[in-house]
Amino acid sequence: MLLYLDLALEEFRKLGRLRTRADLHEAIMQGAAKRIRPKFMTVAAMLLGLLPILWSTGMGADVMKRIAAPMVAESLPHFCWNWRSIRDL
């Protein structure tokens, strides 16, 4: 996240747009918005990999379900919490 914020601040400085507090806020918002896509892609890849395990049957499925369920349950609230915190900036 810090990398995206640093890049956005540097871009605003190069363009000469970092003069007021509102400009700083805009730079932070742009940097934070660039972080949403990689975060979403990570959560989506994890869910696409783990959701089939929850419906699996067969040998070892009972153990795999116990491992996959907490990971699925944690990924969605974590992503939503990060989205809300960025939106409220």
Side-chain angles (χ1 to χ4, degrees):
M1 177 78 178
L2 194 56
L3 174 67
Y4 294 102
L5 294 176
D6 286 341
L7 290 174
L9 284 173
E10 190 62 35
E11 180 183 340
F12 268 64
R13 281 189 188 124
K14 283 182 183 177
L15 296 175
R17 291 179 47 195
L18 196 59
R19 295 186 183 140
T20 65
R21 201 171 168 101
D23 293 338
L24 177 63
H25 185 268
E26 183 64 28
I28 291 171
M29 291 299 290
Q30 283 189 9
K34 289 180 183 176
R35 176 66 178 126
I36 294 296
R37 184 171 183 256
K39 182 78 169 180
F40 176 75
M41 295 300 288
T42 302
V43 171
M46 189 168 76
L47 287 176
L48 287 174
L50 291 174
L51 285 178
I53 294 173
L54 295 178
W55 285 285
S56 65
T57 59
M59 204 166 160
D62 55 338
V63 174
M64 289 190 301
K65 287 180 185 181
R66 290 180 182 165
I67 295 170
M71 294 173 72
V72 170
E74 174 62 27
S75 64
L76 290 176
H78 181 69
F79 177 72
C80 293
W81 179 78
N82 281 333
W83 173 256
R84 189 186 73 217
S85 65
I86 290 171
R87 188 189 64 204
D88 292 340
L89 285 177

